[in-house]
Amino acid sequence: MKQPPIALPLAPDVVLQIDAAAPPIEVRSAFQRVSVEHTAAFGRLYRLDGDAMAAEADEFMIHESLAHLPALEHPSPRRAIILGGGDGASARELLKHPGIERIVVAELDPAVVSTLRDHMPTLAACAFDNPRVELHVGDAARSLGSLHDRGEAFDLILFDLTEADDPACAHLHDEAFLALCAASLGPAGIAHVQLGSPFYQPAQVRRLWLRLRRVFASVRLSLIHVPLYGGPWLLARCSTRPAPPPDINLLQQR
């Protein structure tokens, strides 16, 4: 029997439609609806309350960028916390850096971890079985606040969350929480934040960028391409240290 197409909203008046290859797997948790869909174009993909999170075909585009851009920029990252990240893919990528000693995954919903471990295991690739990875179940703001109160600092803070305007994550993008992130960074620490689509979500992107500029001394943007998210996608690497000035000699050589 032909399955109805999957409609993924990109904007109030724009939808990405994907043909489904099999019936979805749906799990209702105490927090949200977790859906795993089967498609020919994207392979398996998962959604939270209808919003697309990651697909097998292109998830490397977001997770490699989210993890490696700050990890390669930091002089020697050892401690990282992933806000959200219950699918395990960002932790999988950070584990590729041998100097990383500890990765905390602060995931609200244990059903995300268990459902994707069963139905999309390539995302985590057994990351949660690695002794360097700690899963903290609960609100990410409380998890980070508790660690900060204990005096812990992180070299990397990755925002692997639903979108900034999602009610479940709005408090993880307000100035108070961003200030907590800044206070939880080590001396050369970097917070890597997903701003969203500059084409489909320009107002949200601008609001969050201005908020980050008020909290952090340096905010540097990266533009990547994620087909499941509709194309261009902005990331922001944020630091409490001002960005270094451009190398004048290098500019003159060009």
Side-chain angles (χ1 to χ4, degrees):
M1 181 183 296
K2 184 175 176 59
Q3 300 298 315
I6 303 164
L8 304 177
L10 301 177
D13 58 347
V14 182
V15 172
L16 175 64
Q17 183 169 297
I18 306 172
D19 287 342
I25 297 163
E26 295 201 343
V27 175
R28 289 188 176 271
S29 75
F31 302 99
Q32 60 202 334
R33 186 175 77 257
V34 184
S35 305
V36 178
E37 311 272 5
H38 294 252
T39 75
F42 285 88
R44 285 172 291 184
L45 64 87
Y46 82 96
R47 298 192 286 168
L48 300 180
D49 284 339
D51 293 330
M53 295 293 108
E56 289 175 324
D58 69 346
E59 58 85 12
F60 70 94
M61 299 180 185
I62 180 64
H63 293 117
E64 289 183 5
S65 301
L66 189 63
H68 298 312
L69 285 173
L72 291 170
E73 181 177 319
H74 192 284
S76 57
R78 294 188 297 113
R79 300 173 304 276
I81 183 168
I82 302 169
L83 309 175
D87 60 23
S90 290
R92 175 199 75 207
E93 293 303 315
L94 282 180
L95 286 170
K96 295 177 181 178
H97 294 264
I100 293 284
E101 300 171 356
R102 182 182 182 216
I103 302 169
V104 175
V105 178
E107 168 60 48
L108 173 67
D109 192 349
V112 171
V113 180
S114 60
T115 301
L116 298 178
R117 178 180 283 157
D118 291 341
H119 299 290
M120 292 183 68
T122 56
L123 289 178
C126 300
F128 290 114
D129 298 326
N130 191 293
R132 290 187 284 166
V133 178
E134 302 174 18
L135 176 61
H136 291 206
V137 173
D139 180 78
R142 292 183 181 178
S143 295
L144 182 59
S146 176
L147 293 167
H148 175 71
D149 290 343
R150 298 206 311 247
E152 297 199 41
F154 292 92
D155 301 308
L156 305 174
I157 299 176
L158 307 187
F159 280 61
D160 193 355
L161 300 161
T162 54
E163 294 180 14
D165 60 354
D166 187 312
C169 285
H171 69 296
L172 300 178
H173 295 87
D174 64 24
E175 282 197 42
F177 182 71
L178 295 175
L180 173 62
C181 290
S184 300
L185 288 173
I190 301 169
H192 207 192
V193 183
Q194 299 186 59
L195 297 182
S197 168
F199 185 82
Y200 293 114
Q201 304 163 325
Q204 171 190 300
V205 167
R206 178 174 173 79
R207 284 194 303 270
L208 185 50
W209 178 77
L210 290 172
R211 210 174 295 153
L212 291 169
R213 288 291 303 271
R214 289 194 290 268
V215 173
F216 293 93
S218 171
V219 179
R220 287 155 296 160
L221 302 181
S222 301
L223 183 65
I224 65 172
H225 186 86
V226 186
L228 189 67
Y229 298 170
W233 194 254
L234 274 173
L235 307 174
R237 299 190 312 284
C238 308
S239 172
T240 57
R241 290 181 171 182
D247 188 326
I248 300 299
N249 293 327
L250 181 61
L251 293 175
Q252 289 174 343
Q253 291 173 11
R254 292 181 178 176

